[in-house]
Amino acid sequence: MRLSDAIEQFIKTMLTQDEQEIELKRNELAEYFNCAPSQINYVLATRFTPDHGYLIESRRGGGGYIRIFRMEQDTSEQLLYMLHERIGDSVDALCASHLIQQLEERELATAAEAALMLAAIGPQALSLPLPPDMKDALRARILKSMLLEIARRGREPKL
Amino acid sequence: MRLSDAIEQFIKTMLTQDEQEIELKRNELAEYFNCAPSQINYVLATRFTPDHGYLIESRRGGGGYIRIFRMEQDTSEQLLYMLHERIGDSVDALCASHLIQQLEERELATAAEAALMLAAIGPQALSLPLPPDMKDALRARILKSMLLEIARRGREPKL
DNA sequence: AATACAATAGTCAAAGATGGTCAGTATGCT
DNA sequence: AGCATACTGACCATCTTTGACTATTGTATT
């Protein structure tokens, strides 16, 4: 079996054991598998991307870590993921506001959160002198970044 | 757990227990945590700055001390005003994250909202090929736009 | 008063501890 | 062979911890 596959399995096993989130040390894992630390990055980059349903968070320095979150495939995270796809590399303001509205209607975000998101991608926020297509690209990134954050947290928009 | 985090927690626990101000001895604290005294300075410098909402006052020599004040904000509007002043036309990522953290600690935003805001101004969101100063300017606008939203709802029912 | 000494706290640069990137190399599949 | 995937290592970025040196203040001694 390929090393990458073995590491992938190892991580997925850790994740399926009731936990939805795991934390690991890159160097420890690399040593365990007797490989270069960067191999871990390779596995994460090729098998644990948002498109695969995972989110990564890490920190360097003493006490550093890598955290891997699994998105719920069945429930609304899937929807978020689809929205994520739909946005692509560029969205205009109208489309973005519609998406945010949908989030609120489906109770994936509170009204307050939806308002915040609108504020983040509104004309005020993006009023720098940039070409319009650049703004759409920027809006897409901001929105996707926020959607991923919503996907990361569990399922309680709590009103 | 990281030493720095432990010390940070220790201090914050002291501060949240009704007191708005605490006094401590650098050397005592260092001995308690079994670390170099300058470690205390590191924690203060990275986690108790004005951007984090704290003020430090100290004295050397016999009977020396370090006092930590949690800044008092009269109303949320005043805080937001200060943030506006602080942000201006440009903020770097670190400063912005400190300010958002402060919003959460002071319960002007929920943890979920703070996370959303962080996502909106994070490196992922602003990963377009732009000069750094342009990113800082953009971050300032996005953040201010979101703060205005928070200020606006601040006059309505509580969280 | 002036001086010396002890008790504190501050600064800063170096070392340590992690993780990230990327270009180049190896391996395996068609 | 040619292409895609896997792997490695050198170099980079970031965060933490420490220690040597410095600065300030109170107290004891002259």
Side-chain angles (χ1 to χ4, degrees), chain B:
Chain B
M1 193 192 217
R2 269 184 230 83
L3 220 199
S4 292
D5 292 340
I7 297 173
E8 175 188 2
Q9 278 316 116
F10 183 85
I11 293 175
K12 285 190 172 167
T13 298
M14 288 180 72
L15 274 168
T16 43
Q17 279 165 176
D18 78 323
E19 287 302 334
Q20 210 73 52
E21 164 194 351
I22 61 168
E23 178 172 321
L24 50 84
K25 298 277 203 176
R26 190 180 76 147
N27 289 346
E28 278 180 15
L29 194 55
E31 192 172 358
Y32 179 78
F33 280 102
N34 222 350
C35 65
S38 54
Q39 175 73 13
I40 306 302
N41 295 90
Y42 174 74
V43 173
L44 295 179
T46 55
R47 292 145 159 93
F48 292 89
T49 67
D51 283 353
H52 285 98
Y54 298 91
L55 291 175
I56 307 290
E57 172 187 295
S58 66
R59 254 186 106 97
R60 310 182 188 191
Y65 58 81
I66 295 177
R67 289 196 189 121
I68 305 171
F69 304 86
R70 194 196 172 98
M71 291 199 289
E72 255 329 298
Q73 264 87 28
D74 310 39
T75 72
S76 52
E77 292 183 38
Q78 182 176 355
L79 169 62
L80 289 171
Y81 184 72
M82 286 170 58
L83 290 182
H84 266 278
E85 294 284 288
R86 183 65 182 80
I87 293 169
D89 292 333
S90 176
V91 254
D92 62 52
L94 193 59
C95 173
S97 71
H98 291 165
L99 294 176
I100 291 173
Q101 189 185 329
Q102 204 183 322
L103 287 179
E104 180 184 344
E105 285 184 8
R106 291 165 192 281
E107 299 185 338
L108 287 170
T110 64
E113 288 161 356
L116 263 188
M117 287 190 271
L118 279 176
I121 61 161
Q124 276 281 307
L126 303 183
S127 59
L128 280 188
L130 291 172
D133 53 329
M134 185 78 94
K135 290 190 184 185
D136 287 349
L138 196 47
R139 186 181 296 108
R141 298 202 185 208
I142 296 172
L143 187 52
K144 286 204 289 188
S145 179
M146 292 189 293
L147 289 180
L148 277 177
E149 172 55 34
I150 287 182
R152 199 161 58 68
R153 80 173 187 217
R155 308 192 201 90
E156 288 153 27
K158 284 299 171 186
L159 308 176

Side-chain angles (χ1 to χ4, degrees), chain A residues 2 10 27 30-31 36 42 53 60 63 66-68 70 77 81 86 92 95 101 113 119 133 140 144 148-149:
Chain A
R2 268 192 218 83
F10 182 86
N27 290 346
E31 192 171 359
Y42 175 73
R60 310 183 187 189
I66 295 177
R67 290 198 188 119
I68 306 172
R70 187 188 56 221
E77 269 84 352
Y81 173 57
R86 181 170 149 200
D92 60 51
C95 176
Q101 202 179 326
E113 287 161 358
D133 54 329
K144 285 199 288 187
L148 287 175
E149 172 54 35

Side-chain angles (χ1 to χ4, degrees), chain A residues 105-125:
Chain A
E105 284 174 6
R106 295 174 193 235
E107 297 191 345
L108 288 170
T110 65
E113 287 161 358
L116 264 188
M117 286 190 271
L118 278 177
I121 60 161
Q124 274 270 313

Side-chain angles (χ1 to χ4, degrees), chain A residues 41-111:
Chain A
N41 294 91
Y42 175 73
V43 173
L44 295 179
T46 56
R47 293 145 156 92
F48 292 89
T49 67
D51 286 354
H52 286 99
Y54 297 90
L55 293 172
I56 307 292
E57 173 184 296
S58 67
R59 189 171 173 168
R60 310 183 187 189
Y65 57 78
I66 295 177
R67 290 198 188 119
I68 306 172
F69 304 86
R70 187 188 56 221
M71 295 194 264
E72 284 300 340
Q73 293 283 309
D74 47 319
T75 62
S76 41
E77 269 84 352
Q78 190 60 41
L79 168 67
L80 287 169
Y81 173 57
M82 285 163 55
L83 292 178
H84 187 240
E85 286 278 281
R86 181 170 149 200
I87 293 169
D89 292 334
S90 177
V91 259
D92 60 51
L94 190 60
C95 176
S97 69
H98 288 162
L99 287 175
I100 291 174
Q101 202 179 326
Q102 275 190 46
L103 287 180
E104 183 181 346
E105 284 174 6
R106 295 174 193 235
E107 297 191 345
L108 288 170
T110 65

